[in-house]
Amino acid sequence: MLPDTRTLPQNAAQVTATSTTLSPAPPIADPGEVVRHRVDLHGQPMSFLAAGDPSSPRVVLLVHGLAGRAGAWTPVLTALSRDAYVLAPDLFGHGESAAPPYADYSAGGHACRLRDLLHLLGHRRVSVVGHSFGGGVAMSFAYQFPERCESLTLISSGGLGPELSAALRTASLPGLAVAANALCSVTPGWLGRLARSGAMALGMASAAEIEAVGRALRAMREPTRRRALLHTLRGAVSWSGQCQDATDRLYLLAGLPTLLIAGEDDRCIPPGHSRRAHELLPNSRLAVLPTGHFPHTARPDLVADLIAGLLAELPRRATFPLTGPATPPPAVGYVPLTA
């Protein structure tokens, strides 16, 4: 499904599909228009949203979190596309992209596929933005491919400390996620809505956090996506908390322009993780917003302005594509996706 623009700001663009004609390169969309593309990556379809001029020397890569989707970035993507070409892929196992049964669903595995996608599209260097688990993917990208990374933005990022909400830690237990999905499938809709309202009224979770859980449970209904999501989850989360803590390697990012954004009311990943990372990265900048775990959907205007401020201070050097002027190999076609 394409993002429902009824929930977006009035100036947010309608997400459209590409034309039916195969093309060796993505067409230049109208200013602010968000277009969905699909390419074959290692024989598997990978879907991404894009906005802006593909020949722009400034390229931004937006990486969603666990059980997330590219469409959550639409307002931020639209705002940033005024001065950059902006890409928001659905990671493998998520959204409209494939869920291969034997893929590497670790943060490093996702980072490698993003490198391959950028190579396919002809982009040499990017500014990477990652949310939650996507923050771990973004850090892995910066560690593994520093020559391709111009800046790094981490939003409510995972991988910066062990603490994690009890709900996510519980979801990693064997068999529990599948059982929860089975229970939800037979629960009357009115009861689910009542539970949602009660959780919000008691301050247990925000609407965005509840929707994220709902997306994860819906993904469980398809066996291949259930397998992919569980592989991703268990590679990052255990009953004791997050499996990976990259704070001992943050010194490797000392020379990289870095922005840290956290939600003061985040009940999933404590904002203290971002504060500690800021202390370990003296040249970084930190913004703590009055939101929960999803600052980019709660306050996309503020998040976009913060990222744009970071990008504005980067050197304006020419970024020559690997395969010509932002042109993928001729064999790669852009095909329409249905809503």
Side-chain angles (χ1 to χ4, degrees):
M1 292 289 293
L2 297 179
D4 184 355
T5 55
R6 291 174 298 176
T7 63
L8 303 181
Q10 292 183 354
N11 62 347
Q14 174 75 34
V15 177
T16 61
T18 56
S19 66
T20 56
T21 304
L22 294 180
S23 170
I28 298 177
D30 294 332
E33 182 183 11
V34 180
V35 181
R36 183 176 287 278
H37 301 283
R38 183 168 61 191
V39 296
D40 283 339
L41 189 67
H42 309 310
Q44 300 286 346
M46 188 170 199
S47 174
F48 64 93
L49 299 178
D53 184 350
S55 65
S56 172
R58 183 78 70 220
V59 181
V60 180
L61 180 67
L62 306 174
V63 188
H64 65 73
L66 185 67
R69 67 201 191 285
W73 290 109
T74 301
V76 174
L77 191 155
T78 302
L80 294 178
S81 68
R82 289 190 284 265
D83 298 305
Y85 184 54
V86 191
L87 304 167
D90 283 327
L91 298 176
F92 269 16
H94 296 73
E96 302 288 344
S97 291
Y102 301 110
D104 179 0
Y105 289 103
S106 67
H110 285 299
C112 288
R113 280 187 293 274
L114 292 178
R115 183 273 316 269
D116 296 344
L117 174 66
L118 293 170
H119 182 86
L120 196 64
L121 298 177
H123 300 296
R124 184 183 295 275
R125 292 172 62 83
V126 296
S127 289
V128 188
V129 180
H131 168 250
S132 195
F133 174 76
V137 175
M139 280 190 286
S140 292
F141 185 93
Y143 291 141
Q144 295 179 75
F145 315 113
E147 74 284 357
R148 289 180 172 272
C149 198
E150 284 196 314
S151 70
L152 177 66
T153 298
L154 302 175
I155 304 175
S156 302
S157 180
L160 295 176
E163 293 83 8
L164 195 64
S165 68
L168 273 178
R169 288 188 281 115
T170 302
S172 68
L173 295 175
L176 191 60
V178 178
N181 177 68
L183 179 62
C184 289
S185 66
V186 298
T187 299
W190 66 268
L191 187 57
R193 290 190 292 273
L194 180 62
R196 171 191 173 105
S197 300
M200 292 175 59
L202 293 173
M204 297 172 62
S206 67
E209 290 163 342
I210 293 173
E211 175 57 26
V213 173
R215 283 197 305 271
L217 290 174
R218 289 191 292 272
M220 292 285 184
R221 295 172 184 171
E222 185 181 338
T224 56
R225 295 195 174 274
R226 178 168 65 238
R227 187 184 304 112
L229 182 59
L230 289 176
H231 283 178
T232 305
L233 177 66
R234 290 171 184 165
V237 178
S238 70
W239 170 244
S240 60
Q242 297 188 64
C243 296
Q244 300 176 4
D245 184 351
T247 53
D248 61 342
R249 281 157 282 168
L250 285 179
Y251 71 92
L252 297 172
L253 304 177
L256 184 67
T258 301
L259 168 65
L260 298 153
I261 300 175
E264 186 64 64
D265 300 319
D266 192 339
R267 301 179 185 88
C268 182
I269 296 177
H273 289 192
S274 295
R275 291 190 175 98
R276 182 185 175 213
H278 176 54
E279 294 172 357
L280 295 173
L281 286 169
N283 294 323
S284 66
R285 56 185 71 179
L286 170 68
V288 180
L289 306 183
T291 69
H293 186 58
F294 298 86
H296 60 301
T297 60
R299 292 303 308 269
D301 52 338
L302 286 180
V303 170
D305 285 347
L306 288 167
I307 297 172
L310 178 68
L311 299 178
E313 297 183 8
L314 298 178
R316 275 289 180 181
R317 52 170 169 259
T319 53
F320 298 102
L322 295 173
T323 57
T327 301
V332 177
Y334 289 78
V335 299
L337 297 180
T338 57

Short mmCIF file of all heavy atoms in Angstrom, two decimals, residues 156 209 261-275 286-295 298:
data_model
loop_
_atom_site.label_atom_id
_atom_site.label_comp_id
_atom_site.label_asym_id
_atom_site.label_seq_id
_atom_site.Cartn_x
_atom_site.Cartn_y
_atom_site.Cartn_z
N SER A 156 16.39 8.45 17.18
CA SER A 156 15.97 7.42 18.14
C SER A 156 16.67 6.11 17.83
O SER A 156 16.04 5.05 17.74
CB SER A 156 14.44 7.24 18.09
OG SER A 156 13.77 8.44 18.37
N GLU A 209 3.45 4.36 18.04
CA GLU A 209 4.06 3.13 18.56
C GLU A 209 3.10 1.95 18.44
O GLU A 209 3.50 0.84 18.08
CB GLU A 209 4.49 3.35 20.01
CG GLU A 209 5.68 4.30 20.13
CD GLU A 209 5.86 4.84 21.54
OE1 GLU A 209 4.92 4.79 22.35
OE2 GLU A 209 6.96 5.35 21.82
N ILE A 261 19.16 12.78 16.92
CA ILE A 261 17.82 13.27 17.25
C ILE A 261 17.15 12.22 18.14
O ILE A 261 17.16 11.04 17.82
CB ILE A 261 16.99 13.52 15.99
CG1 ILE A 261 17.67 14.56 15.09
CG2 ILE A 261 15.58 13.98 16.36
CD1 ILE A 261 16.96 14.78 13.76
N ALA A 262 16.56 12.66 19.23
CA ALA A 262 15.87 11.74 20.14
C ALA A 262 14.54 12.34 20.54
O ALA A 262 14.32 13.54 20.47
CB ALA A 262 16.73 11.48 21.38
N GLY A 263 13.62 11.45 20.98
CA GLY A 263 12.34 11.88 21.51
C GLY A 263 12.38 11.85 23.03
O GLY A 263 12.72 10.83 23.63
N GLU A 264 12.05 12.96 23.66
CA GLU A 264 12.12 13.03 25.11
C GLU A 264 11.21 12.00 25.78
O GLU A 264 11.52 11.49 26.86
CB GLU A 264 11.73 14.44 25.58
CG GLU A 264 11.91 14.68 27.06
CD GLU A 264 13.37 14.59 27.50
OE1 GLU A 264 14.17 15.41 27.06
OE2 GLU A 264 13.68 13.66 28.26
N ASP A 265 10.10 11.67 25.12
CA ASP A 265 9.13 10.73 25.70
C ASP A 265 9.21 9.35 25.06
O ASP A 265 8.23 8.60 25.07
CB ASP A 265 7.71 11.30 25.53
CG ASP A 265 7.54 12.64 26.21
OD1 ASP A 265 8.06 12.80 27.34
OD2 ASP A 265 6.90 13.53 25.63
N ASP A 266 10.36 9.01 24.50
CA ASP A 266 10.54 7.72 23.84
C ASP A 266 10.47 6.60 24.88
O ASP A 266 11.29 6.54 25.80
CB ASP A 266 11.89 7.69 23.12
CG ASP A 266 12.04 6.50 22.18
OD1 ASP A 266 11.32 5.50 22.36
OD2 ASP A 266 12.90 6.57 21.28
N ARG A 267 9.49 5.69 24.73
CA ARG A 267 9.36 4.57 25.66
C ARG A 267 10.00 3.30 25.11
O ARG A 267 9.98 2.27 25.77
CB ARG A 267 7.87 4.31 25.94
CG ARG A 267 7.13 5.50 26.54
CD ARG A 267 5.66 5.17 26.76
NE ARG A 267 4.92 6.33 27.22
CZ ARG A 267 4.35 7.22 26.41
NH1 ARG A 267 4.46 7.07 25.11
NH2 ARG A 267 3.69 8.25 26.90
N CYS A 268 10.52 3.39 23.90
CA CYS A 268 11.15 2.21 23.28
C CYS A 268 12.65 2.20 23.51
O CYS A 268 13.20 1.23 24.03
CB CYS A 268 10.83 2.21 21.78
SG CYS A 268 11.48 0.79 20.89
N ILE A 269 13.32 3.29 23.13
CA ILE A 269 14.76 3.43 23.32
C ILE A 269 15.00 4.71 24.11
O ILE A 269 14.60 5.79 23.67
CB ILE A 269 15.50 3.49 21.97
CG1 ILE A 269 15.33 2.17 21.22
CG2 ILE A 269 16.98 3.80 22.17
CD1 ILE A 269 15.96 2.16 19.84
N PRO A 270 15.62 4.64 25.27
CA PRO A 270 15.78 5.83 26.11
C PRO A 270 16.55 6.95 25.39
O PRO A 270 17.55 6.68 24.72
CB PRO A 270 16.59 5.31 27.31
CG PRO A 270 16.37 3.83 27.32
CD PRO A 270 16.21 3.43 25.88
N PRO A 271 16.09 8.20 25.50
CA PRO A 271 16.81 9.31 24.89
C PRO A 271 18.22 9.48 25.46
O PRO A 271 19.08 10.09 24.83
CB PRO A 271 15.93 10.52 25.20
CG PRO A 271 15.08 10.11 26.36
CD PRO A 271 14.87 8.64 26.20
N GLY A 272 18.45 8.89 26.63
CA GLY A 272 19.79 8.95 27.21
C GLY A 272 20.84 8.29 26.34
O GLY A 272 22.03 8.64 26.42
N HIS A 273 20.43 7.34 25.49
CA HIS A 273 21.39 6.72 24.57
C HIS A 273 21.96 7.77 23.62
O HIS A 273 23.18 7.79 23.35
CB HIS A 273 20.71 5.61 23.77
CG HIS A 273 20.39 4.40 24.59
ND1 HIS A 273 20.00 3.21 24.02
CD2 HIS A 273 20.40 4.18 25.93
CE1 HIS A 273 19.79 2.30 24.97
NE2 HIS A 273 20.02 2.89 26.14
N SER A 274 21.09 8.62 23.08
CA SER A 274 21.56 9.65 22.16
C SER A 274 22.40 10.69 22.89
O SER A 274 23.40 11.19 22.34
CB SER A 274 20.36 10.33 21.47
OG SER A 274 19.67 9.41 20.64
N ARG A 275 22.03 11.00 24.11
CA ARG A 275 22.82 11.98 24.88
C ARG A 275 24.23 11.44 25.15
O ARG A 275 25.21 12.18 25.03
CB ARG A 275 22.11 12.29 26.20
CG ARG A 275 20.81 13.08 26.05
CD ARG A 275 20.32 13.55 27.41
NE ARG A 275 19.14 14.41 27.30
CZ ARG A 275 17.89 14.02 27.47
NH1 ARG A 275 17.65 12.74 27.78
NH2 ARG A 275 16.88 14.86 27.36
N LEU A 286 23.17 17.53 18.86
CA LEU A 286 22.08 16.76 19.46
C LEU A 286 20.82 17.61 19.53
O LEU A 286 20.87 18.78 19.90
CB LEU A 286 22.47 16.32 20.89
CG LEU A 286 21.37 15.69 21.75
CD1 LEU A 286 20.94 14.34 21.20
CD2 LEU A 286 21.85 15.56 23.20
N ALA A 287 19.70 16.98 19.19
CA ALA A 287 18.38 17.62 19.33
C ALA A 287 17.45 16.63 20.00
O ALA A 287 17.25 15.52 19.51
CB ALA A 287 17.83 18.04 17.97
N VAL A 288 16.89 17.02 21.15
CA VAL A 288 15.90 16.19 21.85
C VAL A 288 14.55 16.88 21.69
O VAL A 288 14.35 18.00 22.18
CB VAL A 288 16.26 16.03 23.34
CG1 VAL A 288 15.23 15.16 24.04
CG2 VAL A 288 17.65 15.40 23.48
N LEU A 289 13.64 16.20 21.00
CA LEU A 289 12.36 16.80 20.64
C LEU A 289 11.24 16.30 21.57
O LEU A 289 11.35 15.21 22.16
CB LEU A 289 12.01 16.46 19.19
CG LEU A 289 13.06 16.82 18.13
CD1 LEU A 289 12.54 16.49 16.73
CD2 LEU A 289 13.44 18.29 18.23
N PRO A 290 10.16 17.05 21.71
CA PRO A 290 9.04 16.63 22.57
C PRO A 290 8.15 15.60 21.88
O PRO A 290 6.97 15.83 21.62
CB PRO A 290 8.29 17.95 22.82
CG PRO A 290 8.55 18.75 21.58
CD PRO A 290 9.96 18.40 21.15
N THR A 291 8.72 14.44 21.58
CA THR A 291 8.01 13.38 20.87
C THR A 291 8.32 12.05 21.54
O THR A 291 9.09 11.97 22.48
CB THR A 291 8.43 13.31 19.39
OG1 THR A 291 9.79 12.83 19.32
CG2 THR A 291 8.35 14.67 18.72
N GLY A 292 7.72 10.98 20.98
CA GLY A 292 8.04 9.63 21.40
C GLY A 292 9.12 9.04 20.53
O GLY A 292 10.09 9.73 20.17
N HIS A 293 8.93 7.78 20.14
CA HIS A 293 9.96 7.05 19.41
C HIS A 293 10.03 7.41 17.93
O HIS A 293 10.97 7.01 17.26
CB HIS A 293 9.71 5.54 19.56
CG HIS A 293 10.79 4.68 18.98
ND1 HIS A 293 12.10 4.76 19.41
CD2 HIS A 293 10.77 3.73 18.00
CE1 HIS A 293 12.84 3.88 18.72
NE2 HIS A 293 12.05 3.26 17.87
N PHE A 294 9.06 8.19 17.45
CA PHE A 294 8.99 8.49 16.02
C PHE A 294 9.02 10.00 15.75
O PHE A 294 8.03 10.57 15.27
CB PHE A 294 7.73 7.87 15.40
CG PHE A 294 7.66 6.37 15.49
CD1 PHE A 294 7.16 5.75 16.62
CD2 PHE A 294 8.13 5.58 14.44
CE1 PHE A 294 7.10 4.36 16.71
CE2 PHE A 294 8.07 4.20 14.52
CZ PHE A 294 7.57 3.59 15.66
N PRO A 295 10.12 10.67 16.05
CA PRO A 295 10.17 12.12 15.82
C PRO A 295 9.90 12.51 14.37
O PRO A 295 9.32 13.56 14.11
CB PRO A 295 11.61 12.48 16.22
CG PRO A 295 12.04 11.39 17.16
CD PRO A 295 11.36 10.15 16.65
N ALA A 298 6.09 12.39 13.99
CA ALA A 298 5.40 13.31 14.90
C ALA A 298 5.69 14.76 14.56
O ALA A 298 4.79 15.61 14.59
CB ALA A 298 5.79 13.02 16.35
#
